[in-house]
Amino acid sequence: MKFTLLSDDEIWQVATLMMDNLMDASTRRDHVAHIRDFTPRLKAIVTKDYLEDVCEQYQAEKGFFTERVPLTIFKRPDSAIVV
């Protein structure tokens, strides 16, 4: 996929779907759903136990996800960074 050919709206649509899933899955502590869109490398890092530990700590300290504000997109030919 050539990210430089995608419009910002197209990238936001993809990112929004992914972040909706990540936020919902981490709130529910659903490992399978949470890693659904991860690369094999990231899946190896975010194990079920790791996710459980991170969610437990995060939810105790900061609570649950509520909203997010899209700021900007940095495009590369083979990737995009969404802030």
Side-chain angles (χ1 to χ4, degrees), residues 2-47:
K2 291 280 189 188
F3 284 86
T4 52
L5 300 178
L6 296 175
S7 71
D8 285 0
D9 284 342
E10 290 171 313
I11 292 174
W12 282 123
Q13 287 175 351
V14 171
T16 297
L17 291 174
M18 292 173 75
M19 286 305 300
D20 286 350
N21 176 66
L22 285 169
M23 292 169 75
D24 178 58
S26 64
T27 296
R28 295 182 292 111
R29 299 184 187 190
D30 181 340
H31 180 258
V32 172
H34 186 78
I35 65 167
R36 178 186 72 192
D37 299 310
F38 286 11
T39 63
R41 179 177 171 264
L42 193 52
K43 285 179 181 179
I45 294 169
V46 183
T47 64

mmCIF file of all heavy atoms in Angstrom, residues 2-47:
data_model
loop_
_atom_site.group_PDB
_atom_site.id
_atom_site.type_symbol
_atom_site.label_atom_id
_atom_site.label_comp_id
_atom_site.label_asym_id
_atom_site.label_seq_id
_atom_site.Cartn_x
_atom_site.Cartn_y
_atom_site.Cartn_z
ATOM 1 N N LYS A 2 0.614 2.161 -0.872
ATOM 2 C CA LYS A 2 1.349 3.424 -0.950
ATOM 3 C C LYS A 2 0.583 4.487 -0.163
ATOM 4 O O LYS A 2 -0.411 5.042 -0.641
ATOM 5 C CB LYS A 2 1.506 3.871 -2.413
ATOM 6 C CG LYS A 2 2.422 2.999 -3.222
ATOM 7 C CD LYS A 2 3.838 3.372 -2.923
ATOM 8 C CE LYS A 2 4.772 2.667 -3.867
ATOM 9 N NZ LYS A 2 6.141 2.844 -3.495
ATOM 10 N N PHE A 3 1.040 4.761 1.030
ATOM 11 C CA PHE A 3 0.339 5.701 1.893
ATOM 12 C C PHE A 3 0.370 7.121 1.356
ATOM 13 O O PHE A 3 -0.523 7.910 1.640
ATOM 14 C CB PHE A 3 0.907 5.641 3.311
ATOM 15 C CG PHE A 3 0.456 4.425 4.057
ATOM 16 C CD1 PHE A 3 1.142 3.230 3.930
ATOM 17 C CD2 PHE A 3 -0.652 4.457 4.864
ATOM 18 C CE1 PHE A 3 0.734 2.092 4.603
ATOM 19 C CE2 PHE A 3 -1.086 3.334 5.546
ATOM 20 C CZ PHE A 3 -0.386 2.142 5.412
ATOM 21 N N THR A 4 1.391 7.453 0.578
ATOM 22 C CA THR A 4 1.468 8.802 0.021
ATOM 23 C C THR A 4 0.377 9.046 -1.018
ATOM 24 O O THR A 4 0.080 10.188 -1.343
ATOM 25 C CB THR A 4 2.853 9.058 -0.605
ATOM 26 O OG1 THR A 4 3.160 8.004 -1.517
ATOM 27 C CG2 THR A 4 3.928 9.146 0.468
ATOM 28 N N LEU A 5 -0.223 7.969 -1.535
ATOM 29 C CA LEU A 5 -1.297 8.109 -2.517
ATOM 30 C C LEU A 5 -2.679 8.203 -1.873
ATOM 31 O O LEU A 5 -3.658 8.544 -2.546
ATOM 32 C CB LEU A 5 -1.270 6.938 -3.502
ATOM 33 C CG LEU A 5 0.018 6.777 -4.318
ATOM 34 C CD1 LEU A 5 -0.071 5.556 -5.221
ATOM 35 C CD2 LEU A 5 0.312 8.028 -5.130
ATOM 36 N N LEU A 6 -2.755 7.886 -0.583
ATOM 37 C CA LEU A 6 -4.034 7.951 0.116
ATOM 38 C C LEU A 6 -4.303 9.367 0.605
ATOM 39 O O LEU A 6 -3.381 10.076 1.019
ATOM 40 C CB LEU A 6 -4.034 7.001 1.313
ATOM 41 C CG LEU A 6 -3.908 5.514 1.020
ATOM 42 C CD1 LEU A 6 -3.797 4.736 2.324
ATOM 43 C CD2 LEU A 6 -5.079 5.016 0.207
ATOM 44 N N SER A 7 -5.556 9.749 0.593
ATOM 45 C CA SER A 7 -5.921 11.060 1.151
ATOM 46 C C SER A 7 -5.875 10.977 2.677
ATOM 47 O O SER A 7 -5.927 9.888 3.267
ATOM 48 C CB SER A 7 -7.325 11.456 0.699
ATOM 49 O OG SER A 7 -8.294 10.645 1.338
ATOM 50 N N ASP A 8 -5.796 12.126 3.311
ATOM 51 C CA ASP A 8 -5.835 12.144 4.774
ATOM 52 C C ASP A 8 -7.133 11.534 5.285
ATOM 53 O O ASP A 8 -7.130 10.801 6.280
ATOM 54 C CB ASP A 8 -5.678 13.571 5.302
ATOM 55 C CG ASP A 8 -4.252 14.082 5.208
ATOM 56 O OD1 ASP A 8 -3.362 13.333 4.738
ATOM 57 O OD2 ASP A 8 -4.025 15.237 5.621
ATOM 58 N N ASP A 9 -8.244 11.809 4.622
ATOM 59 C CA ASP A 9 -9.529 11.236 5.042
ATOM 60 C C ASP A 9 -9.502 9.712 4.995
ATOM 61 O O ASP A 9 -10.035 9.051 5.889
ATOM 62 C CB ASP A 9 -10.675 11.756 4.168
ATOM 63 C CG ASP A 9 -11.072 13.188 4.505
ATOM 64 O OD1 ASP A 9 -10.725 13.665 5.613
ATOM 65 O OD2 ASP A 9 -11.728 13.826 3.670
ATOM 66 N N GLU A 10 -8.896 9.147 3.959
ATOM 67 C CA GLU A 10 -8.808 7.688 3.857
ATOM 68 C C GLU A 10 -7.964 7.109 4.996
ATOM 69 O O GLU A 10 -8.318 6.088 5.585
ATOM 70 C CB GLU A 10 -8.216 7.278 2.509
ATOM 71 C CG GLU A 10 -9.143 7.547 1.339
ATOM 72 C CD GLU A 10 -8.477 7.348 -0.011
ATOM 73 O OE1 GLU A 10 -7.338 7.853 -0.189
ATOM 74 O OE2 GLU A 10 -9.091 6.690 -0.869
ATOM 75 N N ILE A 11 -6.878 7.770 5.311
ATOM 76 C CA ILE A 11 -6.025 7.305 6.414
ATOM 77 C C ILE A 11 -6.746 7.449 7.743
ATOM 78 O O ILE A 11 -6.705 6.549 8.589
ATOM 79 C CB ILE A 11 -4.681 8.048 6.411
ATOM 80 C CG1 ILE A 11 -3.875 7.637 5.175
ATOM 81 C CG2 ILE A 11 -3.893 7.750 7.695
ATOM 82 C CD1 ILE A 11 -2.586 8.400 4.963
ATOM 83 N N TRP A 12 -7.451 8.564 7.952
ATOM 84 C CA TRP A 12 -8.209 8.738 9.200
ATOM 85 C C TRP A 12 -9.268 7.655 9.348
ATOM 86 O O TRP A 12 -9.514 7.173 10.457
ATOM 87 C CB TRP A 12 -8.870 10.119 9.270
ATOM 88 C CG TRP A 12 -7.943 11.229 9.648
ATOM 89 C CD1 TRP A 12 -7.701 12.365 8.925
ATOM 90 C CD2 TRP A 12 -7.119 11.343 10.808
ATOM 91 N NE1 TRP A 12 -6.776 13.159 9.566
ATOM 92 C CE2 TRP A 12 -6.398 12.559 10.731
ATOM 93 C CE3 TRP A 12 -6.901 10.529 11.913
ATOM 94 C CZ2 TRP A 12 -5.506 12.971 11.715
ATOM 95 C CZ3 TRP A 12 -6.002 10.941 12.893
ATOM 96 C CH2 TRP A 12 -5.328 12.144 12.780
ATOM 97 N N GLN A 13 -9.920 7.270 8.253
ATOM 98 C CA GLN A 13 -10.945 6.226 8.324
ATOM 99 C C GLN A 13 -10.346 4.912 8.812
ATOM 100 O O GLN A 13 -10.907 4.247 9.690
ATOM 101 C CB GLN A 13 -11.618 6.032 6.971
ATOM 102 C CG GLN A 13 -12.551 7.148 6.596
ATOM 103 C CD GLN A 13 -13.121 6.992 5.185
ATOM 104 O OE1 GLN A 13 -12.702 6.137 4.414
ATOM 105 N NE2 GLN A 13 -14.077 7.838 4.855
ATOM 106 N N VAL A 14 -9.212 4.536 8.245
ATOM 107 C CA VAL A 14 -8.535 3.295 8.654
ATOM 108 C C VAL A 14 -8.079 3.400 10.104
ATOM 109 O O VAL A 14 -8.310 2.497 10.915
ATOM 110 C CB VAL A 14 -7.342 2.985 7.726
ATOM 111 C CG1 VAL A 14 -6.516 1.830 8.261
ATOM 112 C CG2 VAL A 14 -7.822 2.690 6.315
ATOM 113 N N ALA A 15 -7.455 4.504 10.444
ATOM 114 C CA ALA A 15 -6.935 4.691 11.803
ATOM 115 C C ALA A 15 -8.060 4.704 12.834
ATOM 116 O O ALA A 15 -7.912 4.141 13.921
ATOM 117 C CB ALA A 15 -6.126 5.979 11.882
ATOM 118 N N THR A 16 -9.176 5.317 12.502
ATOM 119 C CA THR A 16 -10.309 5.378 13.426
ATOM 120 C C THR A 16 -10.847 3.986 13.717
ATOM 121 O O THR A 16 -11.108 3.642 14.873
ATOM 122 C CB THR A 16 -11.412 6.293 12.868
ATOM 123 O OG1 THR A 16 -10.893 7.622 12.771
ATOM 124 C CG2 THR A 16 -12.643 6.290 13.758
ATOM 125 N N LEU A 17 -10.998 3.173 12.684
ATOM 126 C CA LEU A 17 -11.475 1.798 12.896
ATOM 127 C C LEU A 17 -10.500 1.014 13.770
ATOM 128 O O LEU A 17 -10.919 0.278 14.683
ATOM 129 C CB LEU A 17 -11.665 1.089 11.553
ATOM 130 C CG LEU A 17 -12.801 1.595 10.678
ATOM 131 C CD1 LEU A 17 -12.765 0.904 9.319
ATOM 132 C CD2 LEU A 17 -14.135 1.355 11.361
ATOM 133 N N MET A 18 -9.223 1.174 13.507
ATOM 134 C CA MET A 18 -8.224 0.453 14.291
ATOM 135 C C MET A 18 -8.213 0.931 15.744
ATOM 136 O O MET A 18 -8.157 0.120 16.676
ATOM 137 C CB MET A 18 -6.842 0.612 13.660
ATOM 138 C CG MET A 18 -6.717 -0.101 12.326
ATOM 139 S SD MET A 18 -5.160 0.234 11.478
ATOM 140 C CE MET A 18 -4.063 -0.771 12.458
ATOM 141 N N MET A 19 -8.251 2.235 15.957
ATOM 142 C CA MET A 19 -8.226 2.765 17.319
ATOM 143 C C MET A 19 -9.515 2.449 18.082
ATOM 144 O O MET A 19 -9.474 2.163 19.275
ATOM 145 C CB MET A 19 -7.978 4.276 17.311
ATOM 146 C CG MET A 19 -6.558 4.654 16.979
ATOM 147 S SD MET A 19 -5.321 3.879 18.054
ATOM 148 C CE MET A 19 -5.799 4.496 19.661
ATOM 149 N N ASP A 20 -10.646 2.480 17.400
ATOM 150 C CA ASP A 20 -11.897 2.075 18.060
ATOM 151 C C ASP A 20 -11.755 0.653 18.589
ATOM 152 O O ASP A 20 -12.130 0.358 19.728
ATOM 153 C CB ASP A 20 -13.081 2.151 17.092
ATOM 154 C CG ASP A 20 -13.540 3.559 16.796
ATOM 155 O OD1 ASP A 20 -13.090 4.509 17.477
ATOM 156 O OD2 ASP A 20 -14.351 3.715 15.859
ATOM 157 N N ASN A 21 -11.215 -0.231 17.762
ATOM 158 C CA ASN A 21 -11.030 -1.618 18.169
ATOM 159 C C ASN A 21 -10.031 -1.719 19.329
ATOM 160 O O ASN A 21 -10.285 -2.415 20.310
ATOM 161 C CB ASN A 21 -10.549 -2.469 16.996
ATOM 162 C CG ASN A 21 -10.253 -3.875 17.435
ATOM 163 O OD1 ASN A 21 -11.140 -4.618 17.822
ATOM 164 N ND2 ASN A 21 -8.991 -4.251 17.403
ATOM 165 N N LEU A 22 -8.890 -1.029 19.222
ATOM 166 C CA LEU A 22 -7.874 -1.094 20.280
ATOM 167 C C LEU A 22 -8.420 -0.601 21.620
ATOM 168 O O LEU A 22 -8.200 -1.228 22.660
ATOM 169 C CB LEU A 22 -6.652 -0.256 19.893
ATOM 170 C CG LEU A 22 -5.734 -0.854 18.845
ATOM 171 C CD1 LEU A 22 -4.730 0.193 18.373
ATOM 172 C CD2 LEU A 22 -5.023 -2.071 19.389
ATOM 173 N N MET A 23 -9.122 0.515 21.594
ATOM 174 C CA MET A 23 -9.643 1.082 22.832
ATOM 175 C C MET A 23 -10.718 0.193 23.445
ATOM 176 O O MET A 23 -10.706 -0.070 24.650
ATOM 177 C CB MET A 23 -10.169 2.491 22.570
ATOM 178 C CG MET A 23 -9.055 3.474 22.225
ATOM 179 S SD MET A 23 -9.645 5.060 21.605
ATOM 180 C CE MET A 23 -10.210 5.813 23.109
ATOM 181 N N ASP A 24 -11.614 -0.309 22.620
ATOM 182 C CA ASP A 24 -12.676 -1.188 23.117
ATOM 183 C C ASP A 24 -12.088 -2.501 23.635
ATOM 184 O O ASP A 24 -12.449 -2.969 24.716
ATOM 185 C CB ASP A 24 -13.695 -1.457 22.005
ATOM 186 C CG ASP A 24 -14.790 -2.398 22.453
ATOM 187 O OD1 ASP A 24 -15.486 -2.072 23.440
ATOM 188 O OD2 ASP A 24 -14.931 -3.475 21.847
ATOM 189 N N ALA A 25 -11.178 -3.089 22.874
ATOM 190 C CA ALA A 25 -10.602 -4.381 23.269
ATOM 191 C C ALA A 25 -9.773 -4.249 24.541
ATOM 192 O O ALA A 25 -9.795 -5.151 25.388
ATOM 193 C CB ALA A 25 -9.754 -4.943 22.136
ATOM 194 N N SER A 26 -9.048 -3.161 24.697
ATOM 195 C CA SER A 26 -8.259 -3.016 25.924
ATOM 196 C C SER A 26 -9.164 -2.743 27.121
ATOM 197 O O SER A 26 -8.888 -3.212 28.227
ATOM 198 C CB SER A 26 -7.190 -1.938 25.781
ATOM 199 O OG SER A 26 -7.755 -0.676 25.590
ATOM 200 N N THR A 27 -10.256 -2.025 26.919
ATOM 201 C CA THR A 27 -11.218 -1.815 28.006
ATOM 202 C C THR A 27 -11.784 -3.157 28.467
ATOM 203 O O THR A 27 -11.914 -3.409 29.660
ATOM 204 C CB THR A 27 -12.355 -0.887 27.545
ATOM 205 O OG1 THR A 27 -11.799 0.399 27.260
ATOM 206 C CG2 THR A 27 -13.435 -0.749 28.611
ATOM 207 N N ARG A 28 -12.082 -4.030 27.504
ATOM 208 C CA ARG A 28 -12.619 -5.357 27.826
ATOM 209 C C ARG A 28 -11.525 -6.374 28.148
ATOM 210 O O ARG A 28 -11.822 -7.499 28.536
ATOM 211 C CB ARG A 28 -13.463 -5.884 26.661
ATOM 212 C CG ARG A 28 -14.712 -5.081 26.397
ATOM 213 C CD ARG A 28 -15.555 -5.640 25.262
ATOM 214 N NE ARG A 28 -14.893 -5.495 23.963
ATOM 215 C CZ ARG A 28 -14.409 -6.506 23.234
ATOM 216 N NH1 ARG A 28 -14.509 -7.744 23.657
ATOM 217 N NH2 ARG A 28 -13.838 -6.271 22.070
ATOM 218 N N ARG A 29 -10.270 -5.967 27.939
ATOM 219 C CA ARG A 29 -9.105 -6.849 28.122
ATOM 220 C C ARG A 29 -9.224 -8.094 27.245
ATOM 221 O O ARG A 29 -8.940 -9.212 27.653
ATOM 222 C CB ARG A 29 -8.915 -7.218 29.586
ATOM 223 C CG ARG A 29 -8.677 -5.998 30.463
ATOM 224 C CD ARG A 29 -8.394 -6.396 31.862
ATOM 225 N NE ARG A 29 -8.340 -5.218 32.727
ATOM 226 C CZ ARG A 29 -7.912 -5.257 33.976
ATOM 227 N NH1 ARG A 29 -7.496 -6.377 34.512
ATOM 228 N NH2 ARG A 29 -7.898 -4.163 34.692
ATOM 229 N N ASP A 30 -9.603 -7.853 26.008
ATOM 230 C CA ASP A 30 -9.777 -8.908 25.005
ATOM 231 C C ASP A 30 -8.522 -8.955 24.137
ATOM 232 O O ASP A 30 -8.380 -8.186 23.183
ATOM 233 C CB ASP A 30 -11.014 -8.610 24.173
ATOM 234 C CG ASP A 30 -11.316 -9.659 23.115
ATOM 235 O OD1 ASP A 30 -10.405 -10.429 22.732
ATOM 236 O OD2 ASP A 30 -12.465 -9.702 22.661
ATOM 237 N N HIS A 31 -7.630 -9.849 24.457
ATOM 238 C CA HIS A 31 -6.338 -9.933 23.781
ATOM 239 C C HIS A 31 -6.484 -10.201 22.290
ATOM 240 O O HIS A 31 -5.840 -9.552 21.464
ATOM 241 C CB HIS A 31 -5.458 -11.007 24.443
ATOM 242 C CG HIS A 31 -4.132 -11.154 23.804
ATOM 243 N ND1 HIS A 31 -3.831 -12.179 22.945
ATOM 244 C CD2 HIS A 31 -3.020 -10.379 23.882
ATOM 245 C CE1 HIS A 31 -2.580 -12.039 22.534
ATOM 246 N NE2 HIS A 31 -2.070 -10.960 23.077
ATOM 247 N N VAL A 32 -7.315 -11.160 21.917
ATOM 248 C CA VAL A 32 -7.467 -11.523 20.503
ATOM 249 C C VAL A 32 -7.931 -10.320 19.682
ATOM 250 O O VAL A 32 -7.381 -10.037 18.621
ATOM 251 C CB VAL A 32 -8.442 -12.718 20.338
ATOM 252 C CG1 VAL A 32 -8.753 -12.973 18.870
ATOM 253 C CG2 VAL A 32 -7.847 -13.965 20.995
ATOM 254 N N ALA A 33 -8.925 -9.612 20.179
ATOM 255 C CA ALA A 33 -9.409 -8.423 19.464
ATOM 256 C C ALA A 33 -8.355 -7.321 19.458
ATOM 257 O O ALA A 33 -8.169 -6.640 18.446
ATOM 258 C CB ALA A 33 -10.702 -7.919 20.098
ATOM 259 N N HIS A 34 -7.670 -7.152 20.574
ATOM 260 C CA HIS A 34 -6.693 -6.071 20.696
ATOM 261 C C HIS A 34 -5.552 -6.204 19.681
ATOM 262 O O HIS A 34 -5.123 -5.214 19.094
ATOM 263 C CB HIS A 34 -6.117 -6.033 22.112
ATOM 264 C CG HIS A 34 -5.218 -4.878 22.367
ATOM 265 N ND1 HIS A 34 -5.699 -3.616 22.620
ATOM 266 C CD2 HIS A 34 -3.876 -4.772 22.396
ATOM 267 C CE1 HIS A 34 -4.679 -2.788 22.793
ATOM 268 N NE2 HIS A 34 -3.555 -3.471 22.668
ATOM 269 N N ILE A 35 -5.084 -7.405 19.439
ATOM 270 C CA ILE A 35 -3.936 -7.594 18.539
ATOM 271 C C ILE A 35 -4.359 -7.901 17.099
ATOM 272 O O ILE A 35 -3.507 -8.179 16.254
ATOM 273 C CB ILE A 35 -2.979 -8.685 19.059
ATOM 274 C CG1 ILE A 35 -3.660 -10.047 19.060
ATOM 275 C CG2 ILE A 35 -2.442 -8.312 20.434
ATOM 276 C CD1 ILE A 35 -2.696 -11.204 19.257
ATOM 277 N N ARG A 36 -5.614 -7.791 16.806
ATOM 278 C CA ARG A 36 -6.163 -8.141 15.488
ATOM 279 C C ARG A 36 -5.395 -7.536 14.318
ATOM 280 O O ARG A 36 -5.124 -8.213 13.325
ATOM 281 C CB ARG A 36 -7.638 -7.706 15.424
ATOM 282 C CG ARG A 36 -8.314 -7.976 14.100
ATOM 283 C CD ARG A 36 -9.698 -7.402 14.047
ATOM 284 N NE ARG A 36 -9.609 -5.945 13.945
ATOM 285 C CZ ARG A 36 -10.635 -5.131 14.102
ATOM 286 N NH1 ARG A 36 -11.812 -5.614 14.419
ATOM 287 N NH2 ARG A 36 -10.480 -3.839 13.968
ATOM 288 N N ASP A 37 -5.007 -6.288 14.417
ATOM 289 C CA ASP A 37 -4.356 -5.589 13.304
ATOM 290 C C ASP A 37 -2.845 -5.471 13.463
ATOM 291 O O ASP A 37 -2.210 -4.757 12.690
ATOM 292 C CB ASP A 37 -4.968 -4.185 13.153
ATOM 293 C CG ASP A 37 -6.454 -4.239 12.855
ATOM 294 O OD1 ASP A 37 -6.841 -4.972 11.938
ATOM 295 O OD2 ASP A 37 -7.224 -3.553 13.554
ATOM 296 N N PHE A 38 -2.282 -6.150 14.434
ATOM 297 C CA PHE A 38 -0.852 -6.043 14.705
ATOM 298 C C PHE A 38 -0.023 -6.840 13.704
ATOM 299 O O PHE A 38 -0.469 -7.847 13.169
ATOM 300 C CB PHE A 38 -0.531 -6.562 16.109
ATOM 301 C CG PHE A 38 -0.939 -5.645 17.228
ATOM 302 C CD1 PHE A 38 -1.739 -4.541 17.027
ATOM 303 C CD2 PHE A 38 -0.519 -5.913 18.511
ATOM 304 C CE1 PHE A 38 -2.111 -3.715 18.069
ATOM 305 C CE2 PHE A 38 -0.877 -5.093 19.571
ATOM 306 C CZ PHE A 38 -1.671 -3.989 19.349
ATOM 307 N N THR A 39 1.201 -6.404 13.522
ATOM 308 C CA THR A 39 2.179 -7.163 12.740
ATOM 309 C C THR A 39 2.625 -8.363 13.570
ATOM 310 O O THR A 39 2.449 -8.371 14.801
ATOM 311 C CB THR A 39 3.418 -6.300 12.431
ATOM 312 O OG1 THR A 39 4.041 -5.957 13.680
ATOM 313 C CG2 THR A 39 3.061 -5.044 11.647
ATOM 314 N N PRO A 40 3.206 -9.367 12.936
ATOM 315 C CA PRO A 40 3.714 -10.511 13.718
ATOM 316 C C PRO A 40 4.702 -10.085 14.807
ATOM 317 O O PRO A 40 4.673 -10.625 15.919
ATOM 318 C CB PRO A 40 4.393 -11.389 12.662
ATOM 319 C CG PRO A 40 3.643 -11.084 11.405
ATOM 320 C CD PRO A 40 3.318 -9.616 11.505
ATOM 321 N N ARG A 41 5.544 -9.126 14.512
ATOM 322 C CA ARG A 41 6.521 -8.644 15.507
ATOM 323 C C ARG A 41 5.812 -8.067 16.727
ATOM 324 O O ARG A 41 6.167 -8.360 17.877
ATOM 325 C CB ARG A 41 7.440 -7.603 14.877
ATOM 326 C CG ARG A 41 8.451 -7.027 15.836
ATOM 327 C CD ARG A 41 9.394 -6.039 15.099
ATOM 328 N NE ARG A 41 10.218 -5.349 16.045
ATOM 329 C CZ ARG A 41 9.962 -4.141 16.548
ATOM 330 N NH1 ARG A 41 8.903 -3.470 16.157
ATOM 331 N NH2 ARG A 41 10.764 -3.586 17.415
ATOM 332 N N LEU A 42 4.800 -7.225 16.512
ATOM 333 C CA LEU A 42 4.085 -6.613 17.631
ATOM 334 C C LEU A 42 3.249 -7.645 18.390
ATOM 335 O O LEU A 42 3.129 -7.578 19.613
ATOM 336 C CB LEU A 42 3.215 -5.456 17.133
ATOM 337 C CG LEU A 42 2.644 -4.526 18.189
ATOM 338 C CD1 LEU A 42 3.725 -4.009 19.126
ATOM 339 C CD2 LEU A 42 1.933 -3.364 17.522
ATOM 340 N N LYS A 43 2.681 -8.616 17.671
ATOM 341 C CA LYS A 43 1.936 -9.683 18.339
ATOM 342 C C LYS A 43 2.830 -10.462 19.296
ATOM 343 O O LYS A 43 2.384 -10.894 20.361
ATOM 344 C CB LYS A 43 1.322 -10.636 17.315
ATOM 345 C CG LYS A 43 0.119 -10.070 16.608
ATOM 346 C CD LYS A 43 -0.427 -11.052 15.597
ATOM 347 C CE LYS A 43 -1.622 -10.451 14.868
ATOM 348 N NZ LYS A 43 -2.175 -11.372 13.855
ATOM 349 N N ALA A 44 4.085 -10.655 18.922
ATOM 350 C CA ALA A 44 5.029 -11.376 19.785
ATOM 351 C C ALA A 44 5.341 -10.575 21.047
ATOM 352 O O ALA A 44 5.618 -11.151 22.102
ATOM 353 C CB ALA A 44 6.316 -11.689 19.024
ATOM 354 N N ILE A 45 5.281 -9.267 20.973
ATOM 355 C CA ILE A 45 5.576 -8.406 22.120
ATOM 356 C C ILE A 45 4.361 -8.305 23.048
ATOM 357 O O ILE A 45 4.480 -8.403 24.267
ATOM 358 C CB ILE A 45 5.996 -6.995 21.647
ATOM 359 C CG1 ILE A 45 7.325 -7.076 20.892
ATOM 360 C CG2 ILE A 45 6.078 -6.016 22.812
ATOM 361 C CD1 ILE A 45 7.694 -5.804 20.151
ATOM 362 N N VAL A 46 3.177 -8.103 22.468
ATOM 363 C CA VAL A 46 1.969 -7.886 23.266
ATOM 364 C C VAL A 46 1.279 -9.240 23.495
ATOM 365 O O VAL A 46 0.294 -9.573 22.853
ATOM 366 C CB VAL A 46 1.020 -6.868 22.598
ATOM 367 C CG1 VAL A 46 -0.191 -6.607 23.484
ATOM 368 C CG2 VAL A 46 1.743 -5.566 22.309
ATOM 369 N N THR A 47 1.821 -9.969 24.435
ATOM 370 C CA THR A 47 1.230 -11.260 24.790
ATOM 371 C C THR A 47 -0.033 -11.025 25.620
ATOM 372 O O THR A 47 -0.298 -9.900 26.075
ATOM 373 C CB THR A 47 2.218 -12.087 25.620
ATOM 374 O OG1 THR A 47 2.456 -11.394 26.859
ATOM 375 C CG2 THR A 47 3.527 -12.324 24.873
#
